[in-house]
Amino acid sequence: MQLLKPSCQFLKPAKLALAIAGLLTLNAPVFAETVEVPQMEQGIQIGDLAPGRAIVWSRADRPSRMMLKYAYNPQFKDAVSVRGPYALAETDFTARQDLTGLLEGKDVYVKVWFEDLTNARGKSEPVVGHFHTIGKRDDIRFVWGGDTAGQGWGINESFGGMKIYEAMRQVQPQFFIQSGDNVYSDGPIPESKLAENGQVWTNVVTPEVSKVAETLDEFRGRYKYNLLDENVRRFNAEVPQIWQWDDHEVVNNWSDSKDLSADPRYTEKNVPTLIARATKAFLEYAPLRPHDAEESERIYRKISYGKLLDVFVLDMRSYRGPNTANLQSQENAETAFLGAEQMAWLQDELKNSKATWKVISADMPIGLNIGDGNTAQGQARWEAVANGNDGAAAGRELEVARLLSFIKHEHINNLVWLTADVHYAAAHYYDPAKAASKDFAPFWEFVAGPLNAGSFGPNSTDGTFGPQVVFYKAPPAGQVNLSPYAGLQFFGEVNIDKKSRAMTVDFKDIDGAVVFSKTLAAEADREHEHDHHDRDHD
């Protein structure tokens, strides 16, 4: 450089510019490090782990192509390279790749980066993750929960962020069932919010979460918000997820008949339009394996984990009739909850399942009374299955009664329901001897959550299917919407022992401490296990 200075002093401006341009070209490798490249601010997610395969999801910040490597060692020796899909504006630069042909019972290490669509082919810094494929000799361990960033309780960095995700990561689960309400599109997140005992909760905020979500970008912004949390991103890079949805991914208590005409927060009053935008955002950001063109937006699915476990993921939103007084005496379009096609699918899959344990991952509980205001006639209107009348099955209960009767008469055993939704932890034993509708085999339902939202409950029970509340942990009487400061945030952990085939269900709190444990024996001993409950009400 110094040698050129004397001659540069005598160059005319135009020639000087050319000389500088030439120098920049000669030194291109030095300057290449400062060229802007794709960014991966949302990290990676792994999803729908199944025998021999797993989805890898990520997002860039510009038009680019997803690139991956995976190996069975952290040094990426003998790695397999995969050229993934393009990430374009039409999908908000999200992309997912299904890794297939994975060996079972192995730790899989993945490296993901994006290559921009310029001739320079700028590459992002890679993001690395790992997960375990379940093998025939493995015990099974997974966690579940729902309800994230609800009621204005968002990412509080001084609190440690959404630290229940770190508590879940610490138990080293093979996968996680996200039971719905992954975002609260209808709940603005303020900069600060008064919590119990005069405490102040401070949130990380973005423009998209400052109001109810109406535009496609606002719905997308809800998912990006959760991915700002370092606990969530670290969890996502290590724990494959199974996503389903509930109401808050769209709007509170939505069905196709939801009426927003009196809600001043919404300028877009057309619920089908909001559902369309919310569905697109959900499918862009969920690390789920897309269904085929027969029903490209289908969420319900079965994921098998060999001889020990099948997981049946339900969709209790898309096919339901309107929320009503829920007292119809015969099934019709109004009483649909799963809907005819999903119900037929579920019955067929349950009947043909060869797995010891059948877990039904539901987005709502069966026997809890969950209200939705009143009808025009002044009757209580209901959001879930139960209708509060403690009598023989009516309304949506008719569909569930038909399913439970089918399960009994087809001798489908070792079936457990897992759910979230109500923002407290509970274990319910459904006993036909104490039910108004008795044609079913006894079963358990476990309710976890919230993960990072307001704590509520407990809800009252409906006696139609005889639910017995064996355990619950919720806010003290008269207290509602407690912040995560209160510690009443819960996830569920399931362990299935390969040798004994017993299933142990634990509820754990925000710090990972066990608050309830129940072991269920498989098959023949199952009918007797309700006689020795591990714990009573907490």
Side-chain angles (χ1 to χ4, degrees), residues 302-453:
K302 182 190 88 167
I303 301 179
S304 177
Y305 295 98
K307 292 182 179 179
L308 277 184
L309 175 66
D310 281 342
V311 176
F312 304 86
V313 185
L314 301 187
D315 178 356
M316 293 174 158
R317 304 281 1 159
S318 302
Y319 313 101
R320 65 163 60 194
N323 288 353
T324 67
N326 203 26
L327 295 169
Q328 298 89 343
S329 58
Q330 291 186 319
E331 286 191 68
N332 56 38
E334 275 200 340
T335 68
F337 199 57
L338 297 178
E341 287 189 20
Q342 185 176 194
M343 175 66 87
W345 164 85
L346 180 58
Q347 290 179 330
D348 191 51
E349 291 286 2
L350 285 171
K351 184 177 179 179
N352 293 319
S353 173
K354 301 291 193 288
T356 299
W357 290 99
K358 297 94 180 165
V359 163
I360 296 185
S361 177
D363 31 307
M364 303 198 80
I366 296 170
L368 293 180
N369 293 315
I370 303 172
D372 184 26
N374 294 308
T375 68
Q377 294 74 37
Q379 291 177 291
R381 183 169 56 212
W382 300 99
E383 154 72 351
V385 177
N387 54 25
N389 74 348
D390 292 327
R396 291 169 176 163
E397 293 172 336
L398 294 165
E399 190 183 83
V400 172
R402 182 160 53 89
L403 173 62
L404 297 179
S405 175
F406 172 86
I407 290 167
K408 174 186 174 181
H409 293 286
E410 292 292 337
H411 306 289
I412 299 165
N413 56 10
N414 304 322
L415 192 145
V416 172
W417 293 69
L418 302 181
T419 187
D421 182 63
V422 287
H423 297 234
Y424 68 99
H428 302 144
Y429 181 73
Y430 287 80
D431 187 348
K434 298 180 179 178
S437 289
K438 300 177 181 296
D439 188 22
F440 67 94
F443 65 94
W444 284 85
E445 173 187 67
F446 297 96
V447 187
L451 296 179
N452 195 93

Side-chain angles (χ1 to χ4, degrees), residues 49-53 72 102-108 131-139 174:
L49 175 69
R53 64 198 312 177
Y72 300 104
L102 300 176
L103 300 178
E104 295 183 19
K106 297 288 187 181
D107 292 328
V108 182
F131 59 96
H132 183 81
T133 59
I134 298 172
K136 294 179 175 62
R137 295 184 179 87
D138 289 339
D139 297 333
Q174 292 149 335

Side-chain angles (χ1 to χ4, degrees), residues 169-181:
R169 188 185 73 87
Q170 292 284 356
V171 307
Q172 297 184 311
Q174 292 149 335
F175 63 92
F176 165 62
I177 299 176
Q178 209 296 329
S179 301
D181 293 340

Side-chain angles (χ1 to χ4, degrees), residues 2 51 53 75 98 178 205 209 285 298 325 390 505 510 531:
Q2 289 179 336
R53 64 198 312 177
Q75 296 79 30
D98 203 353
Q178 209 296 329
V205 294
V209 303
Y285 280 83
R298 187 171 120 178
D390 292 327
V505 181
I510 195 167
D531 294 326

